Amino acid sequence: MTGIRLTAPAPGWAIDADVVVVGSGVAGLTTALRCAAAGLATVVVTKARLDDGSTRWAQGGIAAALGEGDTPEQHLADTLVAGAGLCDESAVRTLVTEGPDAVRRLIKTGAHFDTTDTGDIALTREGGHHRRRIAHAGGDATGAEISRALVEAVRSAALHTVENALVLDLLTDAEGRTAGVTLHVMGEGQHDGVGAVHAPAVVLATGGMGQVFSATTNPPVSTGDGVALALRAGAEVSDLEFVQFHPTVLFLGADSEGQQPLVSEAVRGEGAHLVDASGTRFMVGQHELAELAPRDIVAKAITRQMQLHGTEHMYLDARHFGAEMWEQRFPTILAACRAHGIDPITEPIPVAPAAHYASGGIRTDLRGRTTVPGLYACGEVACTGVHGANRLASNSLLEGLVFAERIAADIVEDRPRATEAAAPVTKAATLVADRDTERDTDPAPSPLLAPEARTTIQRIMTRGAGVLRSAASLVTAADDLEALHNSAAADAWATGPKRAEPGVEAWEATNLLLVSRVLVAAARQREETRGCHWREDRPERDDETWRRHLVVRLTPDRRLVLSRTESEAFPPVQPAGAPDCAAATTTHPTPEEP
């Protein structure tokens, strides 16, 4: 354990449970429902409302070998190709073999997928898939339907939920084992302010970290809180350099920031074409699947065309769909386009890549266990090895579903109940607000960033570590992030307006800085182009040197330590503090992390 924690008031209230699940997307709610069904006292903590997670925004669908003639082996093959040599094959095999039944159980939970005239599940294709295996709902509102069904099931089961709550840090017992979390509840409710949930099992299902970039498809709550918490707790993270940029995001202008409207890959799956301003298709001949190539290939092709033509976007042409197909198959996208003055029935859609999905995250085994005993991770916040260097389209919802069930099974089988668990260590459980006290107990406190630093971080990351990277851009990004950190550290003991006060916006900015620094450190280390990590100064893939994973951890003295695995296989998940399994270890030359 690192002992590193956010500066926050001491918890003023507490809940006891057997398991606390942080996050209310498909991963979190599935885990919670399975744990509760097994009789475990389960608490769900979510940063916004129950139905406001990233799952709600998923348009395309959920991939599984459900169609006639399709097999898990074919799904496995497509996933391995998309992952560019870094997928953990055992994890992928788990995903594709357990996936079809997991989807059927989701349907029994209450999710309604679109069907054909014969009553079978309607399936479409997306990038990287050689078969139609994407189940969808409401045309292009799959995530919203899955979220609806799971939220209704949670409410029907009367699970204890804490909404509008930002998770802060992990609690541990005297042995370094998980003992719960601290959190801050925003607004009115049964609980308010900083509190704690005491539980011997904690499941992080907090989603992604897309808000480290200026333009993203992620909702505003995606600030990397789970990865930052895990790092401070001493857990390992991996593959954070592999951030997938979705190729077709509605272009709203070069200065547009925040969450951007997604134009689902399913639009291309149904036959839309990528074209330049003259109407010329540019994916034909670049890949056997043309517009349905894996996302990293399409995003790179669009970026190259933008550079070639000196433009800020390309176009997605689906005028040949006609009004009826647009209105029935893609009503959500049609409405979003029209809301921004674009009618895809009569004109091509301007599109450009934007940050979409973190293929890496908190390193886990096939049961979702991290390197901290009792701490689990599931969904986008986790790195199971399924996605490798680039996620295959629509595998994300399936990963959350399959590994949530595995996590619940492991907790039910192996973890003690709350009544049997050791209490949190008082010193570790208390997050002090008194800076004089903090200075006495922590000679190197974690500085909080001012809320306005969020925009600064996003612009640094977009310029230096976006879809196209280089050694020079990454060095600049690292230096700028270090300067931001040093400035916050210098202000940590200041009085008056310079000092950042504990609060949601300051905590989010601090989390964003930590995960940004890890991402940049890993991207600097990986001197090749692979999957969605594109180094213009290292344009080739280097399997001999870099068909490896980068594992990162934060030491108690706040140094980032990067280790390279011995092969493309992940080492076994070991408890924190155990000897490293990685071959090469590098201490990143940066000062303390917030």
Side-chain angles (χ1 to χ4, degrees):
M1 304 304 295
T2 67
I4 303 171
R5 302 196 178 262
L6 289 171
T7 301
W13 51 270
I15 303 170
D16 290 328
D18 296 321
V19 55
V20 55
V21 177
V22 186
S24 60
V26 62
L29 295 189
T30 300
T31 305
L33 286 166
R34 298 292 183 272
C35 288
L40 295 180
T42 305
V43 173
V44 177
V45 173
T46 185
K47 194 173 180 182
R49 304 291 293 177
L50 272 182
D51 59 355
D52 280 342
S54 292
T55 292
R56 170 188 169 190
W57 300 98
Q59 294 176 346
I62 184 167
L66 296 166
E68 183 177 355
D70 198 6
T71 65
E73 284 296 324
Q74 295 176 68
H75 191 180
L76 174 102
D78 285 345
T79 302
L80 294 179
V81 169
L86 280 186
C87 293
D88 182 319
E89 187 168 340
S90 61
V92 178
R93 193 171 296 280
T94 296
L95 178 82
V96 300
T97 55
E98 297 182 10
D101 284 342
V103 172
R104 295 183 183 103
R105 285 189 288 273
L106 179 62
I107 293 171
K108 289 182 179 179
T109 301
H112 302 295
F113 289 93
D114 296 337
T115 57
T116 65
D117 293 339
T118 60
D120 296 323
I121 296 175
L123 301 173
T124 190
R125 277 183 70 193
E126 290 184 356
H129 294 272
H130 282 79
R131 285 192 172 271
R132 298 178 75 90
R133 66 167 64 97
I134 315 301
H136 48 84
D140 58 358
T142 309
E145 169 58 18
I146 291 173
S147 179
R148 180 206 61 78
L150 292 174
V151 168
E152 283 190 9
V154 164
R155 287 175 175 156
S156 296
L159 266 66
H160 188 157
T161 61
V162 182
E163 296 179 291
N164 301 309
L166 171 65
V167 68
L168 299 176
D169 281 301
L170 190 72
L171 299 176
T172 55
D173 62 21
E175 304 300 320
R177 198 182 185 288
T178 294
V181 292
T182 54
L183 62 156
H184 175 81
V185 179
M186 302 165 269
E188 298 178 0
Q190 183 179 356
H191 309 288
D192 197 15
V194 174
V197 181
H198 297 150
V202 171
V203 182
L204 296 177
T206 53
M209 54 185 212
Q211 290 293 325
V212 300
F213 296 99
S214 297
T216 177
T217 63
N218 288 193
V221 294
S222 298
T223 52
D225 308 316
V227 171
L229 176 151
L231 282 162
R232 289 192 297 270
E236 293 179 352
V237 304
S238 186
D239 296 354
L240 230 60
E241 66 270 34
F242 297 117
V243 176
Q244 186 177 83
F245 284 74
H246 198 288
T248 53
V249 175
L250 183 62
F251 180 75
L252 301 180
D255 297 328
S256 295
E257 296 181 338
Q259 186 177 7
Q260 310 289 299
L262 176 66
V263 181
S264 170
E265 201 154 290
V267 177
R268 281 176 281 137
E270 297 291 354
H273 302 145
L274 284 165
V275 298
D276 59 23
S278 67
T280 303
R281 291 177 66 183
F282 54 83
M283 285 304 301
V284 176
Q286 293 204 33
H287 190 276
E288 61 166 334
L289 296 177
E291 279 89 355
L292 288 179
R295 286 178 177 172
D296 63 309
I297 293 173
V298 180
K300 291 171 187 174
I302 291 174
T303 303
R304 288 192 186 101
Q305 290 295 316
M306 288 160 54
Q307 293 174 327
L308 179 64
H309 294 280
T311 60
E312 296 173 322
H313 61 82
M314 287 286 113
Y315 294 92
L316 186 64
D317 192 351
R319 289 174 290 179
H320 55 284
F321 284 5
E324 183 178 357
M325 182 173 177
W326 266 110
E327 290 165 0
Q328 294 184 3
R329 181 68 178 85
F330 300 111
T332 306
I333 299 170
L334 178 62
C337 289
R338 285 176 168 170
H340 292 283
I342 299 155
D343 189 349
I345 297 173
T346 61
E347 60 186 317
I349 305 168
V351 294
H356 182 59
Y357 190 89
S359 293
I362 307 164
R363 194 167 78 84
T364 74
D365 63 10
L366 296 187
R367 292 189 173 190
R369 296 177 294 195
T370 74
T371 51
V372 175
L375 178 65
Y376 297 80
C378 191
E380 189 173 356
V381 74
C383 182
T384 61
V386 159
H387 304 307
N390 180 50
R391 174 175 69 86
L392 181 65
S394 289
N395 268 357
S396 52
L397 291 175
L398 190 70
E399 181 194 32
L401 197 60
V402 167
F403 285 89
E405 293 186 342
R406 289 182 143 254
I407 288 171
D410 191 74
I411 293 172
V412 170
E413 177 183 350
D414 296 330
R415 297 299 180 251
R417 298 293 185 92
T419 53
E420 304 167 8
V425 176
T426 302
K427 182 178 178 181
T430 303
L431 299 155
V432 295
D434 184 332
R435 290 174 183 267
D436 291 331
T437 304
E438 185 177 47
R439 179 174 280 181
D440 291 339
T441 58
D442 184 356
S446 298
L448 286 179
L449 267 69
E452 55 268 25
R454 178 174 181 147
T455 301
T456 304
I457 294 167
Q458 291 170 335
R459 292 173 179 171
I460 290 170
M461 293 297 290
T462 298
R463 287 194 305 266
V467 65
L468 183 58
R469 304 164 178 173
S470 68
S473 76
L474 291 166
V475 167
T476 299
D479 289 346
D480 289 346
L481 292 172
E482 181 176 335
L484 195 60
H485 169 83
N486 290 340
S487 177
D491 294 341
W493 305 112
T495 58
K498 291 190 70 176
R499 189 179 75 180
E501 295 296 333
V504 172
E505 293 180 339
W507 291 321
E508 286 184 331
T510 302
N511 286 338
L512 283 171
L513 179 60
L514 176 53
V515 297
S516 294
R517 294 177 72 146
V518 175
L519 191 161
V520 169
R524 288 178 66 185
Q525 193 91 343
R526 182 172 291 280
E527 296 181 334
E528 65 159 356
T529 290
R530 180 184 299 272
C532 49
H533 172 65
W534 185 9
R535 287 278 299 260
E536 62 177 339
D537 58 325
R538 301 280 183 168
E540 302 301 322
R541 177 168 146 178
D542 180 1
D543 280 349
E544 182 176 353
T545 306
W546 285 111
R547 195 177 177 188
R548 309 284 189 274
H549 299 276
L550 287 173
V551 177
V552 185
R553 60 185 174 85
L554 191 61
T555 65
D557 59 355
R558 295 173 171 82
R559 290 176 300 116
L560 284 180
V561 177
L562 281 71
S563 301
R564 187 170 60 193
T565 60
E566 296 177 347
S567 70
E568 69 273 15
F570 273 117
V573 168
Q574 297 186 16
D580 287 338
C581 295
T585 300
T586 303
T587 301
H588 195 65
T590 61
E592 66 180 60
E593 291 296 323

